[in-house]
Amino acid sequence: MDSFRPVSNPAGKILIVEDEADINSLLARILKAEGYETLQAYSGTEALLLMERETPALILLDLMLPGLSGEALLDRLRTELHSRIPVLILSARVSLEDKVALLRTGADDYITKPFEPEEVAARVQAALRRGAPPAGEQSALSCRNLLLFPDSRTVTVRGRELTLTVHEYELLYLLLQNPGKVYSRESLYELVWQGGYYGENNTVNVHMSNLRRKIREADPEEEYIQTVYGIGFRLAAPAPAQTL
Ligand code: CA
């Protein structure tokens, strides 16, 4: 355990989805100046692909995008991916009707173009704060050398941050929330992928094996996820999750 030490809560990365390169890089500069790490996508499809590899803490989302629109991306994020990542809409055309519709789809706030850098920084900070537990009560779920921070959706193992997809993160989050519980593949599929018939689907196994590999790379000596033969998966150590 010598290399294990508690880490401060990482802020997580901010995903910018904007097709206009100038605006995209301007936003990245504004956020980097505030100390945030950024990810940049130039279309809705690129943003979805990116989220196959990483789980951002917040998304800045333009509405007018080539191909998959901002509205469609937000809808897929909330309904198909079942993600609660805060989303700030960037748009020049936000009427009252649009705002109401977007709120219903699950947007968290709006930034109207053209914007001032100070406004972007303030709204991002406010959205991240709203998503976080009250000051002094930031909690992490833990299992030996692994820490999961629900507010920033980050996972560290031995102090090293893992790069997880949305689905890998959600799988791990479920297991950590109920350390003693054995989850069947069917129930994990239903909970993480939100419905759809499981059937002969190999999806859960594939994502679980990728998740295990990433954890093992960071901590080869401990087992975190146990296969219960004929049933499914559970956290390997049935120790209760702790609140830090
Ligand atoms: Ca645009």
Side-chain angles (χ1 to χ4, degrees):
M1 299 293 146
D2 51 308
S3 62
F4 173 68
R5 60 191 161 77
V7 292
S8 61
N9 191 356
K13 293 176 186 171
I14 296 175
L15 171 60
I16 303 163
V17 191
E18 165 65 72
D19 58 317
E20 282 170 65
D22 289 355
I23 302 181
N24 195 316
S25 58
L26 172 63
L27 287 164
R29 278 202 307 276
I30 293 170
L31 293 170
K32 280 177 186 149
E34 295 292 318
Y36 297 107
E37 275 189 82
T38 58
L39 300 164
Q40 291 165 271
Y42 299 86
S43 72
T45 313
E46 194 186 352
L48 283 175
L49 282 172
L50 224 146
M51 281 187 281
E52 285 288 309
R53 304 196 310 268
E54 305 227 20
T55 305
L58 182 141
I59 302 172
L60 278 178
L61 179 63
D62 181 31
L63 289 183
M64 306 276 262
L65 293 167
L68 188 71
S69 72
E71 287 97 333
L73 175 62
L74 176 59
D75 185 55
R76 281 180 69 167
L77 203 61
R78 296 296 189 238
T79 58
E80 279 175 43
L81 293 173
H82 190 54
S83 166
R84 296 169 301 277
I85 298 170
V87 172
L88 301 192
I89 297 294
L90 287 163
S91 183
R93 55 153 180 94
V94 185
S95 68
L96 181 61
E97 292 78 13
D98 286 340
K99 286 186 181 181
V100 172
L102 285 165
L103 271 178
R104 289 216 176 99
T105 324
D108 294 85
D109 202 357
Y110 311 87
I111 297 170
T112 311
K113 291 179 184 173
F115 49 77
E116 295 294 330
E118 296 77 19
E119 188 192 1
V120 174
R123 288 196 189 270
V124 164
Q125 197 181 40
L128 288 172
R129 205 170 43 228
R130 277 196 302 276
E137 286 178 31
Q138 296 213 328
S139 63
L141 296 171
S142 71
C143 175
R144 282 167 292 177
N145 304 324
L146 184 149
L147 292 170
L148 180 147
F149 300 90
D151 53 330
S152 60
R153 289 164 196 280
T154 50
V155 175
T156 63
V157 174
R158 292 185 170 272
R160 187 178 131 190
E161 189 176 336
L162 300 189
T163 303
L164 299 181
T165 68
V166 172
H167 290 135
E168 288 160 5
Y169 171 87
E170 296 291 347
L171 285 170
L172 182 61
Y173 190 28
L174 262 179
L175 297 179
L176 281 164
Q177 281 175 305
N178 298 287
K181 185 173 158 117
V182 180
Y183 285 93
S184 68
R185 287 172 182 79
E186 290 82 356
S187 68
L188 286 172
Y189 187 78
E190 274 177 30
L191 290 164
V192 172
W193 278 264
Q194 287 286 296
Y197 175 59
Y198 178 72
E200 295 301 305
N201 201 320
N202 199 31
T203 309
V204 172
N205 284 345
V206 170
H207 285 78
M208 198 58 96
S209 103
N210 289 337
L211 173 61
R212 280 173 146 166
R213 177 179 46 77
K214 289 177 183 180
I215 298 173
R216 199 165 49 239
E217 280 168 6
D219 191 359
E221 281 160 32
E222 301 267 3
E223 194 197 10
Y224 289 89
I225 297 168
Q226 188 184 8
T227 304
V228 181
Y229 284 100
I231 309 177
F233 302 96
R234 73 168 167 214
L235 210 61
Q242 294 164 9
T243 297
L244 294 186

